[in-house]
Amino acid sequence: MTTIETVSFDLRVSYRQAYLIDVGTMVPEAFPNDHPEHPVGIIRVKDDKALLVTGLHTGKVGFSVAVTDHDPGADTDGYEDIVEISFRSQIGRVWLCEWAGERVHELPELSSGPGWYRLRYHAVNMDTGAEVNSSMDVVVDRYLLQIWPQSVSTPRVVKSTSHQLSYWRSAS
């Protein structure tokens, strides 16, 4: 039987950053480089930590995380940009953290415990979020992160329409 657990919340971002990390670990201290041969730009993984980039510099974005036991399929109709990358969890429980770990959002337990997972990061209105730059009251850009067990595979861009995704794919 297929299981999908989804949580949604407003995520406060600073410096366009949020982090997916194992429960109890620290947020990364440096902005990791993109994959050298297959850049995806808006999500970067290093040392079992993922950095997620938003369009909005400072403020509140809409965020959903869906944890499942299989590939749920990309929402190509609802989002403008979609990228994928592999991620390894050491303990099978992850948090989504705001800037510098100031606030954490508990997520559903990963379906296969410790091991390799695929992250599919969806974004809509990143360009508008970047133009607005700062918004504490109104959600401008929205994100969906899907997580399911999958062995290591090549990062890939599923859909790319925003200038923000193009920019971050070219930034090292």
Side-chain angles (χ1 to χ4, degrees):
M1 172 176 250
T2 299
T3 303
I4 298 177
E5 292 186 64
T6 303
V7 294
S8 298
F9 44 86
D10 289 338
L11 179 72
R12 291 187 307 248
V13 295
S14 297
Y15 303 99
R16 295 183 169 84
Q17 297 177 34
Y19 314 94
L20 181 73
I21 62 173
D22 274 332
V23 169
T25 62
M26 302 296 292
V27 298
E29 293 182 16
F31 202 90
N33 291 329
D34 206 346
H35 191 281
E37 291 89 34
H38 304 282
V40 292
I42 59 175
I43 187 168
R44 298 172 180 203
V45 174
K46 182 178 180 187
D47 298 332
D48 307 330
K49 296 175 171 104
L51 167 77
L52 298 100
V53 177
T54 64
L56 192 72
H57 182 279
T58 304
K60 179 173 61 173
V61 300
F63 212 97
S64 295
V65 178
V67 176
T68 182
D69 57 3
H70 72 288
D71 181 349
D75 184 353
T76 56
D77 293 331
Y79 291 87
E80 298 168 338
D81 299 304
I82 305 170
V83 299
E84 297 179 3
I85 197 163
S86 296
F87 173 82
R88 184 173 53 135
S89 173
Q90 296 288 339
I91 63 173
R93 295 275 315 165
V94 291
W95 285 333
L96 192 67
C97 297
E98 296 178 357
W99 170 252
E102 292 172 357
R103 183 174 175 201
V104 298
H105 299 270
E106 292 190 28
L107 303 179
E109 190 168 336
L110 299 179
S111 60
S112 292
W116 283 101
Y117 289 84
R118 190 69 167 177
L119 305 179
R120 183 179 292 132
Y121 190 41
H122 299 66
V124 66
N125 296 330
M126 280 191 82
D127 288 340
T128 305
E131 289 171 16
V132 169
N133 194 46
S134 179
S135 175
M136 296 305 252
D137 300 321
V138 178
V139 170
V140 178
D141 41 344
R142 291 183 302 106
Y143 302 87
L144 166 64
L145 179 65
Q146 296 170 321
I147 307 171
W148 70 94
Q150 181 177 309
S151 59
V152 176
S153 56
T154 304
R156 74 182 189 115
V157 176
V158 177
K159 183 178 180 183
S160 175
T161 63
S162 75
H163 294 294
Q164 286 295 301
L165 180 56
S166 295
Y167 167 79
W168 285 107
R169 287 187 70 212
S170 66
S172 52

